[in-house]
Amino acid sequence: MLIKNIEQRIKVNKVVSLSTIAFAVFIVICGFFFAYKMIEDSRKSIYILDNGVPVLAKQTDVLLNRPVEYKAQIELFHRLFFTLAPDDSYIKDNIQKSLYLIDDSGKKEYTNLREKGFYNQIIASSSMVSIHTDSIKIDMELKKFAFFGKQMITRKSSVITRKLNTSGFFEDIIRSPNNPHGVLLKNWRIIDNEEISTQNKNSY
């Protein structure tokens, strides 16, 4: 009887000891997990100095911000590529900046417009070319975009408005000073550049 009681107590003590160890391990794991979460949350917190006063700001998730960056890159490319002045250096500088944002499809379109004499006409007629963005649609699954806007060619005697609808694809690349969003546009093409209207200027 005494031996049985001793054996039972040993078993009970063993169960209690193992349970205590398991509970302690669980507490330690939970502690590590919550500490890791706190460190991750603290990394998302940054302070911005506003006139010497630190203001807390929260970093947003990169994946949540990415669609905004895609649209910003598409708008930036079109603005650089199609904003032109009657200045050869200005045109080349803008085109060069835009070509950092796109694959060789951008260079092909630039070569095509140059061979047609488009840029020479801008310079010769002292025209200003600008664009207005109506909307940008992106397909996150296919990584495809469509740009809808208007192109305005302002001459001495008139303002010509044309449609500017383009499409293409995009992919993520390493960020760089020339491509801060880290997005490369691909297989870009102009879908519709039809003239909408011509408005004559009043001459005095």
Side-chain angles (χ1 to χ4, degrees):
M1 182 68 66
L2 181 62
I3 294 174
K4 286 184 178 180
N5 287 338
I6 292 173
E7 288 178 348
Q8 287 178 354
R9 286 185 179 182
I10 290 173
K11 288 180 179 179
V12 171
N13 289 339
K14 189 175 181 180
V15 170
V16 171
S17 298
L18 291 174
S19 299
T20 303
I21 292 171
F23 183 71
V25 170
F26 175 75
I27 293 296
V28 170
I29 292 173
C30 287
F32 276 121
F33 175 76
F34 284 113
Y36 176 78
K37 288 292 292 180
M38 289 177 65
I39 292 171
E40 283 294 305
D41 289 340
S42 67
R43 285 177 178 172
K44 292 181 180 179
S45 300
I46 57 176
Y47 287 88
I48 301 172
L49 290 177
D50 183 13
N51 293 326
V53 179
V55 179
L56 179 64
K58 284 285 187 179
Q59 289 180 329
T60 56
D61 191 344
V62 174
L63 293 178
L64 293 176
N65 233 5
R66 208 57 178 144
V68 176
E69 289 191 293
Y70 292 145
K71 288 187 176 182
Q73 183 84 331
I74 294 163
E75 196 278 334
L76 176 60
F77 165 76
H78 285 81
R79 178 162 50 83
L80 288 172
F81 195 88
F82 290 105
T83 300
L84 308 171
D87 184 320
D88 189 53
S89 297
Y90 180 88
I91 292 173
K92 287 180 179 178
D93 187 52
N94 261 21
I95 294 295
Q96 185 61 42
K97 289 177 182 177
S98 72
L99 294 182
Y100 284 115
L101 313 179
I102 195 168
D103 66 0
D104 61 351
S105 59
K107 183 67 177 294
K108 288 177 181 177
E109 186 59 38
Y110 167 64
T111 302
N112 180 44
L113 290 172
R114 188 181 62 192
E115 289 177 350
K116 288 181 178 179
F118 176 71
Y119 301 108
N120 289 335
Q121 290 175 16
I122 296 297
I123 296 171
S125 61
S126 298
S127 301
M128 294 290 297
V129 182
S130 60
I131 67 164
H132 172 76
T133 302
D134 291 329
S135 65
I136 298 172
K137 296 182 179 179
I138 60 173
D139 187 325
M140 292 297 291
E141 290 186 5
L142 297 177
K143 290 204 166 185
K144 184 176 182 180
F145 73 86
F147 175 93
F148 300 92
K150 294 180 182 68
Q151 180 184 36
M152 282 73 71
I153 303 174
T154 304
R155 295 175 176 168
K156 290 180 180 180
S157 59
S158 63
V159 178
I160 300 171
T161 303
R162 309 176 71 94
K163 285 183 182 178
L164 183 60
N165 299 345
T166 73
S167 70
F169 296 84
F170 54 88
E171 71 173 17
D172 297 321
I173 60 172
I174 297 173
R175 297 174 190 265
S176 69
N178 292 318
N179 194 329
H181 293 299
V183 182
L184 184 71
L185 307 186
K186 300 174 62 179
N187 300 327
W188 174 69
R189 61 196 183 101
I190 298 174
I191 304 297
D192 191 354
N193 194 215
E194 179 186 1
E195 183 175 321
I196 300 174
S197 64
T198 299
Q199 183 178 356
N200 294 323
K201 291 183 177 181
N202 293 326
S203 59
Y204 299 97

